[in-house]
Amino acid sequence: MVKPFRISIPQQEVDDLFLRLKQARWPSIFCEEPWALGTDHSFMKRLIDYWGSEYNWREQENWLNSFPQFIENVDGMNIHFVHVRGEGVSSQPLLITHGWPGSFMEMLKMVPYLTTPSLFGGNAKDAFDVIIPSIPGFAFSDKPTRPGVGSRHVAGLWAKLMERLGYERFFVQGGDIGAGISTWLSLMHPNRVMGLHLNFIPGSYKPPLSQETPPIRDEEQNFLNKVTDWMEREGAYGAVHKTKPETIAFALSDSPIGLASWIVEKFQAWSDCNGNIEASFSLDELLTNISIYWFTNTIASSIRIYAEGPKVPLSFSKEQQVIVKTGISIFPKELPMPPRSWVERGYNVTYWEHVNKGGHFAAMENPKLFAEQLHLFFHSVNAPSV
């Protein structure tokens, strides 16, 4: 049974956080270009000072609670989700899945553009019912207590959740880990998914290649080379998450400053901020996302999905491909994205758009622009064939 949910962090936990921030022990300063070796010392000092003084969790908590939230038990696991119904009588369901190190919170600024388009110059008939679940192990969903809760398993939970909410058919959207979950949904339930939108291609995606398929093109090989180079420079976090997530979890669960450093470096590196993270995110936005991880103590459970997902990797073949109409929006500062020819080997791509700004957290960086992409693609899916 679906139950309403409100975030209410006990004051003693807020006080404990402030005490830990005041007792920080800082690493030594090393003279190097800011962010070159990871999280910048001067930015972190300013961020933590703000967190412990000016940042107001209760204000942010009230903002989060302004969005209707619920808990539903699916297969013995409590799933937290935001569910905002669209204006008018013809709104269609849209299931949006976040990734790491984001949370349901990174999608919230985009919600009004999707649920009430008439307020922004659009048409009420284009409204969506927006459902944003928290992946198990993230935010206020249950933490998995056993192996096996990877992207495929979560996709199965999402299918059941949408059925419980009365949505037999629905649109899906995902980036980062959410892209893998959304892809699995489309593979497992092609008759229920009306359209699939991705702003990231799952890292585990390997298109079907055989003697019958065309040879790898130069643009595809260039992409594969870029991925190799990116993994050399940026992939250390992922290697830790996939192989020894429990080791780093002790440090990140015990230190709010360590947690903030681990998360904020990705927001800086993966956003369209030209080196200045505050060009894309306010300190309040960064800290609210980090605070959700801290108060729910979910950094350990969230990174375990990196180890669980590969146990059941996305499998594409001549017989198994995404037949659902698929839209891809490519943001300029996204992690390496494959060319269209590579994606079309496994997905039924009907929409392919290069967007002029944004990065890995595009819904949070440019909510209006991201929402416009969703409207454009899903409208094309609904458009009658000529």
Side-chain angles (χ1 to χ4, degrees):
M1 180 178 178
V2 176
K3 299 179 180 178
F5 176 81
R6 285 183 62 82
I7 302 169
S8 182
I9 303 301
Q11 185 59 41
Q12 65 187 42
E13 295 187 22
V14 178
D15 294 341
D16 175 72
L17 169 63
F18 290 154
L19 179 61
R20 289 169 182 260
L21 295 175
K22 291 177 181 178
Q23 295 177 336
R25 186 172 72 165
W26 294 92
S28 59
I29 297 175
F30 184 75
C31 294
E32 179 58 275
E33 181 182 351
W35 302 97
L37 298 180
T39 309
D40 179 59
H41 190 285
S42 61
F43 174 80
M44 272 298 293
K45 189 67 168 62
R46 188 159 59 85
L47 180 71
I48 300 307
D49 286 346
Y50 182 84
W51 199 4
S53 58
E54 298 178 58
Y55 177 77
N56 189 324
W57 165 254
R58 294 304 180 196
E59 287 184 359
Q60 297 301 310
E61 188 178 66
N62 288 338
W63 175 70
L64 294 171
N65 283 329
S66 69
F67 296 87
Q69 296 170 63
F70 304 88
I71 295 287
E72 170 68 338
N73 190 282
V74 183
D75 288 353
M77 181 169 287
N78 288 320
I79 301 299
H80 161 261
F81 61 98
V82 170
H83 186 191
V84 184
R85 297 188 182 274
E87 62 182 338
V89 296
S90 60
S91 55
Q92 300 191 71
L94 171 56
L95 175 66
I96 301 176
T97 308
H98 65 86
W100 186 92
S103 64
F104 75 97
M105 171 260 173
E106 70 177 288
M107 308 298 176
L108 295 183
K109 289 198 300 181
M110 180 174 62
V111 168
Y113 297 104
L114 297 172
T115 57
T116 54
S118 66
L119 297 180
F120 307 95
N123 195 315
K125 68 180 180 60
D126 295 325
F128 295 98
D129 288 356
V130 175
I131 303 93
I132 309 171
S134 294
I135 299 170
F138 287 74
F140 302 97
S141 286
D142 277 355
K143 304 177 181 71
T145 58
R146 56 179 175 79
V149 185
S151 293
R152 187 183 189 281
H153 183 86
V154 175
L157 296 177
W158 279 193
K160 292 179 180 180
L161 173 65
M162 294 300 283
E163 187 174 8
R164 302 269 184 89
L165 296 178
Y167 300 121
E168 181 58 31
R169 304 189 71 224
F170 48 89
F171 294 111
V172 297
Q173 197 288 323
D176 195 77
I177 295 170
I181 294 169
S182 299
T183 296
W184 270 117
L185 256 175
S186 301
L187 286 170
M188 296 161 61
H189 301 280
N191 294 327
R192 295 188 62 193
V193 176
M194 297 187 292
L196 165 67
H197 181 274
L198 302 175
N199 57 301
F200 181 71
I201 300 301
S204 61
Y205 167 63
K206 298 293 185 294
L209 297 173
S210 67
Q211 292 181 343
E212 290 76 32
T213 59
I216 293 178
R217 303 177 181 181
D218 288 344
E219 63 180 1
E220 296 171 344
Q221 186 58 55
N222 288 338
F223 158 70
L224 295 175
N225 294 340
K226 287 180 180 178
V227 170
T228 299
D229 176 69
W230 187 89
M231 291 299 294
E232 287 282 334
R233 294 181 291 102
E234 300 285 344
Y237 82 99
V240 172
H241 290 189
K242 288 178 182 178
T243 59
K244 304 293 182 182
E246 295 300 291
T247 302
I248 192 68
F250 285 95
L252 302 182
S253 297
D254 187 60
S255 168
I257 296 175
L259 175 68
S261 176
W262 197 251
I263 290 176
V264 79
E265 189 263 326
K266 300 309 172 195
F267 276 83
Q268 191 276 342
W270 299 348
S271 64
D272 192 3
C273 67
N274 293 318
N276 176 18
I277 189 172
E278 290 177 82
S280 292
F281 314 102
S282 69
L283 296 185
D284 281 340
E285 288 174 328
L286 293 170
L287 290 172
T288 297
N289 183 63
I290 294 167
S291 294
I292 290 172
Y293 277 91
W294 177 258
F295 288 130
T296 58
N297 193 16
T298 48
I299 189 61
S301 54
S302 70
I303 63 178
R304 285 190 201 112
I305 198 168
Y306 283 77
E308 295 299 323
K311 293 178 181 178
V312 187
L314 276 169
S315 177
F316 289 79
S317 65
K318 187 177 180 180
E319 293 73 30
Q320 178 167 288
Q321 300 185 35
V322 174
I323 62 174
V324 173
K325 289 184 178 181
T326 303
I328 310 293
S329 297
I330 302 175
F331 293 84
K333 293 302 175 70
E334 182 54 270
L335 279 58
M337 288 284 285
R340 181 167 184 167
S341 61
W342 189 251
V343 179
E344 286 180 331
R345 293 175 185 260
Y347 292 82
N348 177 22
V349 178
T350 62
Y351 179 91
W352 185 271
E353 185 69 24
H354 286 268
V355 189
N356 61 9
K357 60 181 178 179
H360 192 65
F361 309 96
M364 189 171 168
E365 295 176 66
N366 299 286
K368 184 175 185 291
L369 183 61
F370 197 97
E372 288 172 354
Q373 284 295 298
L374 300 189
H375 280 297
L376 286 170
F377 168 61
F378 292 126
H379 179 71
S380 72
V381 171
N382 280 332
S385 301
V386 179

